């Protein structure tokens, strides 16, 4: 195989996408290493997308076992019990993903991601986590930030017919061609912790309601010691109470976080497959942009709600946070 | 009816390498059943335009989801869904752009209420005599030269058409025939010299043509390749050890490996001659039957090199094989992620249909760059266009030279191409001028065949100015009434068909119903870019409708898009020079509202 040139196999297979982002970007993709934690339906979609795109490697972390919920939203899991029994979600997804593109190295890493050392993350260009507690989100984000080389960090979660993506590219430089010259851009991203400590009253009035709703649920789950998405209708009063508490502390009118939205998120803890496809697609595209260094990356939250059909970008950064 | 190709596998994830060549419908079904065993899926490996898929067939369904790749099929299904009164969810993607639209008879616009741009076609003289863009050279190389040398000899071919002069001799066609026992290298050079040298000299002799244009220069093989090559890489035949015709390649033979490289005139000339040699040497049985196939490596090499030599002659920048293949093959660039997003949105819309959630039906657009913070933009569907000839039966007007244009011209250029009818029936009053069908009697068939060759005014029931024609497609359940107006002259460049169909109001971003402004026929909507930098549109290109404001993006030439200087610049967005704005309603009403910039114009009405 030529060192730098794409092989004939790659040129043939990737022809249609090379026409979108060019040979150079395709080469960079083939060298990229992606870590993924939490094999939700959305993450399955995301993995499918980047494997098809031809990344260098994908490493999966999820020691969980198959549940009804997983079967309903994760298309990588074979529905045959004799096949999935005794195997972890990561193992099952790994087997399925390999079939999509033999040129991508797909593997499993066992263990609890919160216990992985910082240098483990240095092996990757991109880290994507899903279905993690607030504490874990902050922890992994911090570990990625402590590395010398920049690791792109993403959080993705879907509940009911909604989806949220968070992006942290730290300090990100890229070039864009404007007319005939190449212009360099630099974006500075806050960490997840920094972003969510932005005082609510400082955010624009029309900020997506879903942002606030997800934070309320996040805080509720943390306070109650729940696993992510471990809520039910019985928790609604408790969640509304948490909303009241947070809104008072943040001087935000409670009507900004509608009851109906909270109820949907509290009750509808399962993922909705078409939303997984939408979010997995958006996330896939973001990761490809960052690996290839081409295209304006999303900064720093993306929200989608199938109820209104809008896919919105919100830039939530705390001007007061210490840099 | 499509089969799986390698280039599908970067995004069509239900398919694997081992499925290449098999039926998409069947393999998709099997793949889905693997993770959802308990659904009923019936594959039809067939053309959706097949008469079997009639109105009764469509009536079986609660909703139809389209994933077609050409305008013709989409229009056909649109008509069938209208006839069957079944909701249709349409969609399309190109690169990073995509959209999902929903169509319900009588309630929303049908798919054709907004005329869709038809595939780009170029005036014959531009292709044969005065190319100014590389794509003109590609069309020449593919549809004229390749067809002439390797295709059906019986087909008409404009290759020797000269603007103005009558052809100088009767022997012109023989020039392209290889003489018995003619040395292949000599033959190749002879053809080369004829099309790139002699033909150009002849064209130059017509001063008028070049008054305001750059003159091309004739190119002769002896000047570009002075010596006959004996051995290239010690491999005279060009083929590798295998005799497999599909692995024969001029590039391989000449040791040229990079399809992204832009070859010099000399390299292009070598490829040209080598490709010709390989066709005659290794694939001579196919000669006379070949049609251009973008997956035929040798054909692509031939067309690329021929187009490049011609481009060189006319001072047009040369392009790589990769870029040329894209143009010649009408390749649509595509990625898995956009398709995944649109697929999710299609399902969301389909579920609304099944739940009869009419208030929430939306058209959704997937943008490359956010507009008002939105990457996914929902829009309320519009009411049907009262002037749509498909769902509202508006009469149309046809300007035509009734003494020169034949019924065949009318059928091919208007009824099939513009009106998108598949199995048409043409009537003048009660007289049946033409119809298609399996069950016709022999004398009827002969009668219609004879009619096709007659000019309109000499048909058994003469068609003249003022005649009203009725054109129908029974399968699509579509009827069009056409008022005929005789006109003597047509502009060869602007009206290459020699006839003009008009009568339905374009997308209301255009001004009021002004007779003079009425569009030229499907495909020439006012929102099409008109300057010389027009990007070629592929048939599959589904454009975001005119009235959505896309952040203005510089239109890029295809050559730029293929280079590494920007993530899939939106060819789709480039088409829409919109003057209207996207506004968000005040308050917390979440629905994005599209309104026309000018309140005087005809507003398309929202559903609610």
């Amino acid at each position: 195989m030529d060192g730098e040139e794409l092989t004939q196999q790659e040129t043939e297979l990737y022809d249609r996408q090379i026409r979108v982002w060019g040979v150079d970007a395709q080469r960079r993709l083939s060298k990229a290493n992606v870590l993924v934690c939490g094999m939700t339906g959305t993450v399955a979609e995301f993995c499918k997308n980047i494997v098809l795109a031809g990344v260098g490697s994908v490493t999966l972390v999820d020691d969980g076992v198959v549940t009804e919920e997983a079967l309903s939203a994760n298309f990588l899991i074979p529905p045959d019990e004799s096949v999935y029994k005794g195997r972890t979600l990561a193992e099952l997804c790994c087997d399925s993903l390999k079939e999509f593109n033999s040129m991508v190295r797909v593997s499993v890493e066992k263990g609890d991601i919160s216990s992985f050392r910082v240098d483990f993350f240095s092996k990757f260009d991109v880290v994507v986590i899903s279905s993690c507690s607030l504490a874990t989100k902050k922890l992994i984000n911090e570990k990625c930030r402590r590395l010398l080389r920049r690791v792109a960090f993403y959080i993705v979660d879907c509940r009911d017919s909604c989806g949220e993506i968070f992006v942290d590219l730290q300090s990100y430089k890229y070039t864009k061609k404007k007319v005939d010259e190449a212009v360099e851009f630099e974006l500075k991203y806050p960490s997840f912790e920094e972003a969510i400590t932005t005082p609510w009253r400082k955010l624009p009035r029309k900020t997506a309601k879903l942002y606030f709703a997800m934070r309320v649920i996040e805080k509720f789950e943390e306070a109650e010691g729940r696993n992510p998405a471990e809520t039910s209708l019985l928790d609604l009063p408790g969640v509304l109470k948490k909303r009241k508490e947070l809104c008072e502390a943040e001087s935000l009118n409670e009507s900004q976080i509608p009851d109906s939205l909270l109820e949907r998120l509290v009750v509808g803890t399962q993922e909705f497959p078409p939303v997984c496809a939408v979010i997995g697609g958006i996330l896939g595209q973001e990761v490809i942009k960052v690996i290839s260094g081409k295209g304006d990356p999303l900064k720093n939250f993306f929200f989608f709600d199938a109820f209104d059909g809008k896919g919105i970008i919100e830039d939530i950064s705390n001007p007061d946070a210490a840099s | 009816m499509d089969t799986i190709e390698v280039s599908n596998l970067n995004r069509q994830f239900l398919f694997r390498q081992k499925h290449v060549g098999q039926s998409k419908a069947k393999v998709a079904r099997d793949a889905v059943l693997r993770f959802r065993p308990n659904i009923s899926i019936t594959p039809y490996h067939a053309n959706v335009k097949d008469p079997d898929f009639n109105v009764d067939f469509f009536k079986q369904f609660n909703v139809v989801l389209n994933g077609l790749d050409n305008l013709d099929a989409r229009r056909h299904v649109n008509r069938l869904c209208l006839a069957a009164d079944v909701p249709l969810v349409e969609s399309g993607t190109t690169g990073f752009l995509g959209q999902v639209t929903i169509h319900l008879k009588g309630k929303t616009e049908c798919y054709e209420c907004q005329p869709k741009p038809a595939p780009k076609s170029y005036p014959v003289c531009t292709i044969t005599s005065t190319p100014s863009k590389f794509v003109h050279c590609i069309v020449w190389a593919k549809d004229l030269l390749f067809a002439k040398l390797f295709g059906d000899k019986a087909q008409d071919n404009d290759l020797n058409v000269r603007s103005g002069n009558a052809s100088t001799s009767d022997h012109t066609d023989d020039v392209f025939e290889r003489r018995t026992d003619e040395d292949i290298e000599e033959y190749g050079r002879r053809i080369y010299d004829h099309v790139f040298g002699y033909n150009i000299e002849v064209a130059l002799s017509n001063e008028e043509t070049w008054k305001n244009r750059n003159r091309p220069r004739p190119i002769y093989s002896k000047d570009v390749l002075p010596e006959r090559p004996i051995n290239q890489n010690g491999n005279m035949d060009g083929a590798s050890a295998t005799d497999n015709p599909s692995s024969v390649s001029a590039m391989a033979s000449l040791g040229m490996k990079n399809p992204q490289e832009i070859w010099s005139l000399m390299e292009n000339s070598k490829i040209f001659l080598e490709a010709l040699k390989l066709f005659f040497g290794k694939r001579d049985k196919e000669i006379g039957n070949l049609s251009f196939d973008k997956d035929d490596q040798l054909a692509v090499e031939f067309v690329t090199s021929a187009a490049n030599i011609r481009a060189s002659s006319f001072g047009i920048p040369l392009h790589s094989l990769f870029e040329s293949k894209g143009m010649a093959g009408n390749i649509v660039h595509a990625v898995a992620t956009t398709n995944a997003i649109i697929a999710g949105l299609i399902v969301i819309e389909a579920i609304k249909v099944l739940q009869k959630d009419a208030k929430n039906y939306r058209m959704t657009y997937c943008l490359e760059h956010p507009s008002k913070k939105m990457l996914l933009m929902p829009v309320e569907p519009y009411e049907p266009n009262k002037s749509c000839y498909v769902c509202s039966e508006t009469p149309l007007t046809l300007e035509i030279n009734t003494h020169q244009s034949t019924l065949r011209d009318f059928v091919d250029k208007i009824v099939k191409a513009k009106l998108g009818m598949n199995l048409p029936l043409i009537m003048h009053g009660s007289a049946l001028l033409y119809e298609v069908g399996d069950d016709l009697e022999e004398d009827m068939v002969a009668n219609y065949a004879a009619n096709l060759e007659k000019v309109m005014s000499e048909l058994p029931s003469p068609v003249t100015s003022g005649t009203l024609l009725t054109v129908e497609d029974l399968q699509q359940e579509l009827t069009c009434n056409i008022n005929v107006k005789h006109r003597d002259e047509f502009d060869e460049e602007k009206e290459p068909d020699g006839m003009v169909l008009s009568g339905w109001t374009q997308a209301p971003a255009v001004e009021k119903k002004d007779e003079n402004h009425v569009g030229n026929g499907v495909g020439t909507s006012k929102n099409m870019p008109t300057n010389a930098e027009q990007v070629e549109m592929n048939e599959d290109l589904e454009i975001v409708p005119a009235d959505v404001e896309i952040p203005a993006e510089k239109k890029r030439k295809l050559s730029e898009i293929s280079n590494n200087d920007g993530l899939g610049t939106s060819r789709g967005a480039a088409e829409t020079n919109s003057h209207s704005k996207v506004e968000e309603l005040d308050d917390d009403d979440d629905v994005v509202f599209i309104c026309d910039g000018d309140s005087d114009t005809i507003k398309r009405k929202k559903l609610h």
Side-chain angles (χ1 to χ4, degrees):
Chain A
M1 188 194 325
D2 280 332
E4 281 308 311
E5 300 282 324
L6 293 179
T7 64
Q8 198 190 336
Q9 188 188 10
E10 287 173 306
T11 315
E12 226 191 329
L13 179 63
Y14 300 138
D15 183 270
R16 300 299 185 265
Q17 64 200 38
I18 290 173
R19 289 176 191 280
V20 175
W21 52 61
V23 171
D24 226 35
Q26 189 61 50
R27 272 191 220 117
R28 285 193 209 154
L29 278 171
S30 71
K31 300 195 175 108
N33 302 306
V34 180
L35 175 71
V36 152
C37 174
M39 295 311 301
T40 57
T42 311
V43 167
E45 280 280 339
F46 165 74
C47 289
K48 174 256 293 170
N49 290 334
I50 60 168
V51 167
L52 289 173
V55 292
S57 76
V58 182
T59 306
L60 313 177
V61 178
D62 195 329
D63 291 342
V65 293
V66 176
T67 59
E68 274 304 315
E69 189 179 309
L71 282 169
S72 73
N74 186 330
F75 80 101
L76 295 175
I77 304 174
D80 186 345
E81 196 179 342
S82 62
V83 173
Y84 69 66
K85 199 166 172 160
R87 308 193 69 209
T88 67
L89 289 172
E91 286 167 344
L92 291 161
C93 293
C94 178
D95 288 347
S96 299
L97 282 170
K98 280 182 171 151
E99 291 186 7
F100 289 112
N101 189 343
S102 56
M103 296 189 270
V104 179
R105 297 182 312 272
V106 189
S107 63
V108 170
E109 188 70 38
K110 285 186 170 297
D112 178 354
I113 196 172
S114 355
S115 68
F116 292 170
R117 295 156 49 103
V118 172
D119 60 11
F120 171 79
F121 296 94
S122 68
K123 294 188 276 186
F124 304 99
D125 301 288
V126 174
V127 171
V128 174
I129 64 173
S130 183
S131 194
C132 294
S133 65
L134 177 56
T136 307
K137 290 177 191 175
K138 291 182 194 171
L139 180 66
I140 307 303
N141 194 181
E142 279 315 303
K143 288 190 180 175
C144 290
R145 287 189 143 232
R146 270 194 263 154
L147 297 164
L148 281 174
R149 62 193 283 272
R150 200 264 320 289
V151 172
F153 173 78
Y154 300 83
I155 302 172
V156 65
D157 281 299
C158 287
R159 277 169 98 117
D160 194 68
S161 47
C162 301
E164 175 184 63
I165 298 174
F166 167 76
V167 182
D168 178 11
L169 304 178
Q170 298 172 50
S171 180
Y172 183 74
K173 287 198 178 83
Y174 67 108
T175 41
K176 241 176 28 170
K177 253 214 177 120
K178 290 222 160 184
V179 196
D180 279 323
E181 46 164 350
V183 182
E184 221 188 55
F185 288 86
E186 179 167 6
L187 297 173
K188 288 212 185 315
Y189 286 74
S191 71
F192 186 67
E193 181 156 19
E194 283 164 5
I196 63 173
T197 50
T198 308
W200 288 3
R201 68 187 175 286
K202 288 218 168 130
L203 295 171
R205 205 173 73 80
K206 290 223 176 121
T207 299
K209 297 175 166 46
L210 190 48
Y211 171 74
F212 301 111
M214 294 293 272
R215 304 287 78 75
V216 170
I217 306 261
E218 213 168 49
K219 288 278 184 183
F220 174 81
E221 286 174 351
E222 180 179 53
E224 300 293 308
R226 303 282 179 87
N227 285 324
E230 210 176 52
T231 57
S232 73
L233 187 57
L234 296 170
D235 294 313
L236 188 55
V239 169
L240 294 175
K241 205 166 143 218
K242 178 61 79 179
R243 174 187 67 183
K244 187 167 146 83
E245 182 191 311
L246 290 169
C247 286
E248 273 169 17
E250 297 277 357
S251 309
L252 187 77
N253 196 322
E254 276 191 84
S255 64
Q256 289 284 53
I257 315 175
D259 285 19
S260 55
L261 180 57
L262 283 172
E263 185 172 339
R264 283 170 57 207
L265 296 173
V266 164
V267 175
T269 52
Q270 285 197 15
E271 292 173 291
F272 183 40
V275 173
C276 297
V278 172
I279 299 295
I282 299 274
L283 180 60
Q285 204 37 60
E286 284 304 308
V287 167
I288 289 170
K289 279 188 212 172
V290 165
I291 293 172
S292 65
K294 287 167 91 175
D296 300 312
L298 188 160
K299 182 170 186 277
N300 57 346
F301 277 91
F302 177 81
F303 295 101
F304 178 72
D305 186 345
F307 264 45
D308 66 20
K310 288 189 196 172
I312 299 174
I313 298 175
E314 294 287 4
D315 189 346
I316 296 175
S317 355
N318 191 348
D320 300 334
S323 41
Chain B
M1 63 175 199
D2 276 4
T3 54
I4 299 160
E5 299 175 16
V6 170
S7 60
N8 296 152
L9 302 177
N10 81 319
R11 63 200 183 280
Q12 297 172 20
F13 63 92
L14 299 177
F15 310 139
R16 302 279 172 265
Q17 190 74 45
K18 65 186 182 196
H19 296 132
V20 173
Q22 295 182 36
S23 153
K24 282 190 179 182
K26 293 182 185 165
V27 176
R29 168 197 189 259
D30 293 342
V32 174
L33 286 178
R34 234 168 273 128
F35 56 84
R36 276 289 182 274
N38 301 321
I39 324 179
S40 161
I41 309 180
T42 313
Y44 293 92
H45 183 63
N47 189 337
V48 74
K49 289 161 91 169
D50 211 314
D52 284 344
F53 305 121
N54 55 16
V55 179
D56 286 335
F57 176 83
F58 277 83
K59 278 189 177 159
Q60 297 172 84
F61 305 103
N62 301 101
V63 69
V64 171
L65 314 180
N66 267 354
L68 297 165
D69 66 358
N70 68 89
L71 184 60
D72 223 40
R74 283 177 162 135
R75 292 167 76 186
H76 184 83
V77 173
N78 177 51
R79 293 162 187 198
L80 251 14
C81 287
L82 286 168
D85 203 359
V86 174
L88 170 64
V89 180
E90 252 292 2
S91 59
T93 67
T94 306
F96 297 129
L97 297 177
Q99 78 278 319
V100 175
T101 56
I102 182 167
H103 308 279
L104 294 113
K105 178 178 179 168
K107 302 209 183 77
T108 71
E109 289 187 328
C110 80
Y111 178 73
E112 295 178 80
C113 280
Q114 294 270 334
K116 301 295 186 290
K120 180 84 189 139
S121 65
Y122 303 95
V124 174
C125 49
T126 308
I127 303 300
T128 59
S129 317
T130 52
S132 55
K133 294 192 282 183
F134 188 71
V135 64
H136 301 152
C137 302
I138 288 281
V139 174
W140 175 89
K142 177 180 125 180
D143 295 338
L144 295 184
L145 188 60
F146 183 89
K148 187 77 185 174
L149 288 171
F150 307 114
D152 184 358
K153 305 258 184 271
Q155 277 274 337
D156 278 341
N157 191 301
D158 291 315
L159 194 54
N160 287 318
V161 166
R162 310 188 209 309
S163 44
N165 300 345
S167 41
T168 45
S169 94
D170 298 288
H171 303 313
T172 19
D173 272 6
D174 294 345
V175 157
F176 292 94
E177 282 283 331
R178 184 184 174 195
R179 302 175 190 135
T180 18
D181 294 334
E182 182 175 13
D183 172 60
I184 188 63
E185 177 76 28
E186 264 184 42
Y187 172 62
R189 283 178 177 254
R190 185 163 66 75
I191 297 295
Y192 186 112
D193 291 342
H194 184 82
V195 299
F196 300 124
Y198 175 74
N199 277 357
I200 303 295
E201 306 242 25
V202 173
L204 280 170
S205 67
N206 185 348
E207 288 292 326
E208 258 317 296
T209 317
W210 310 108
K211 240 174 161 189
N212 297 317
R213 296 189 176 99
N214 291 331
R215 295 178 134 70
R217 55 177 192 110
I219 304 179
Y220 289 95
S221 56
K222 64 173 168 36
D223 301 321
V224 179
L225 294 171
E227 269 148 40
R228 289 184 50 158
I230 300 165
N231 263 324
Q232 308 280 356
N233 299 335
N235 194 352
M236 194 158 182
D237 302 304
S240 53
T242 63
D243 262 328
N244 184 353
S246 67
S247 71
V248 166
S249 155
M251 277 175 74
S253 169
L254 295 170
M256 291 160 74
K257 295 197 180 135
N258 188 358
Q260 303 256 347
E261 196 188 326
I262 298 181
W263 304 323
S264 64
L265 174 59
M266 178 166 86
E267 288 169 322
N268 275 299
S269 303
K270 283 186 183 166
I271 293 274
F272 178 86
L273 292 173
E274 185 66 20
L276 201 139
K277 194 158 118 190
L278 287 171
F279 267 118
F280 278 89
K282 295 275 164 184
R283 296 174 58 180
D284 63 304
K285 290 192 182 59
E286 300 172 61
I287 295 176
N289 288 324
L290 275 171
S291 50
F292 179 81
D293 178 353
K294 66 185 187 300
D295 296 313
D296 181 344
Q297 177 66 16
L298 197 57
V300 173
E301 289 169 351
F302 180 84
V303 167
T304 301
S305 57
N308 273 328
I309 299 167
R310 185 169 175 81
S312 180
S313 180
F314 282 84
I316 299 170
L318 275 50
H319 286 64
S320 68
L321 182 107
F322 181 77
E323 293 163 332
S324 303
K325 179 178 166 182
M327 285 183 232
N330 287 317
I331 295 178
V332 179
H333 47 299
V335 296
T337 49
T338 315
N339 285 339
I341 295 165
I342 296 302
L345 294 173
I346 291 169
V347 172
I348 289 169
E349 214 55 38
I351 290 174
K352 290 179 200 169
V353 170
L354 296 172
Q355 292 174 332
K356 298 195 169 30
D357 186 10
K359 283 222 173 79
N360 287 315
Y361 294 153
R362 296 287 177 268
M363 325 271 260
T364 310
Y365 300 97
C366 177
L367 309 173
E368 183 179 353
H369 303 291
S371 171
K372 306 218 174 226
K373 301 196 300 183
M374 281 186 283
L375 277 181
L376 299 176
M377 189 188 295
V379 168
E380 277 196 67
Y382 291 96
E383 282 185 355
N385 179 357
K386 292 189 173 53
S387 312
C388 172
Y389 72 88
V390 175
C391 67
S392 310
E393 292 206 19
T394 305
L396 299 170
T397 302
L398 176 69
E399 290 167 274
I400 185 173
N401 187 323
T402 56
H403 303 306
Q404 281 183 13
S405 293
T406 62
L407 184 64
R408 181 191 291 281
D409 294 329
F410 175 66
V411 169
D412 289 344
K413 293 174 185 173
I414 301 295
V415 178
K416 289 189 177 161
K418 290 251 177 346
L419 295 181
M421 292 192 181
N422 196 24
L423 303 169
L425 203 138
I426 304 176
M427 300 199 290
H428 177 189
S430 56
L432 248 179
L433 294 174
Y434 181 75
E435 67 176 319
V436 187
D438 292 327
D439 52 351
L440 299 173
E441 284 160 25
E442 264 187 51
D443 57 343
M444 299 293 281
V445 175
N447 188 24
Y448 295 141
N451 281 354
L452 279 179
E453 306 313 321
K454 297 188 176 139
V455 297
M456 304 294 274
S457 55
E458 287 170 15
L459 287 164
S461 185
V463 174
T464 54
S465 218
T467 299
L468 182 72
L469 284 176
T470 302
V471 185
E472 276 185 26
D473 183 318
L474 295 176
Q475 185 190 11
Q476 295 175 354
E477 292 196 7
L478 178 63
T479 304
C480 288
N481 294 313
I482 303 180
N483 290 307
V484 177
K485 282 201 169 93
H486 173 86
R487 211 219 293 177
D488 282 319
E489 297 289 322
F490 289 88
D491 184 314
E492 206 186 290
E493 294 241 2
K494 294 186 194 141
E495 302 163 325
D497 284 338
M499 54 189 86
V500 175
L501 186 70
S502 56
W504 68 96
T505 310
Q506 301 271 331
V510 181
E511 310 85 68
K512 329 163 200 248
K513 272 185 192 135
D514 179 348
E515 300 290 294
N516 300 329
H517 271 282
V518 159
N520 221 1
V522 178
T524 54
S525 105
K526 228 183 163 230
N527 298 303
M528 296 272 287
T530 51
N531 64 28
E533 287 312 296
Q534 194 168 3
V535 172
E536 172 182 79
M537 285 201 313
N538 298 312
E539 229 198 9
D540 320 10
L541 199 59
E542 181 59 60
I543 312 296
V544 174
D547 59 354
V548 175
E549 182 196 40
I550 314 290
E553 197 142 35
K554 181 183 180 225
K555 293 175 208 154
R556 305 268 205 124
K557 288 191 287 196
L558 274 170
S559 55
E560 288 177 84
I561 292 170
S562 307
N563 291 336
N564 303 340
D565 62 354
L567 269 179
T569 44
S570 40
R571 284 199 268 182
E575 310 301 343
T576 58
N577 302 325
S578 159
H579 307 292
S580 28
K581 296 184 296 190
V582 170
E583 283 182 18
E584 260 185 74
L585 290 183
D586 293 336
D587 312 322
D588 290 321
D589 195 310
D590 287 331
V591 178
V592 177
F593 196 100
I594 305 294
C595 71
D596 299 323
D598 178 0
S599 55
D600 287 342
T601 62
I602 300 162
K603 269 189 156 74
R604 288 150 80 202
K605 285 184 64 192
K606 290 281 180 185
L607 277 192
H608 298 288

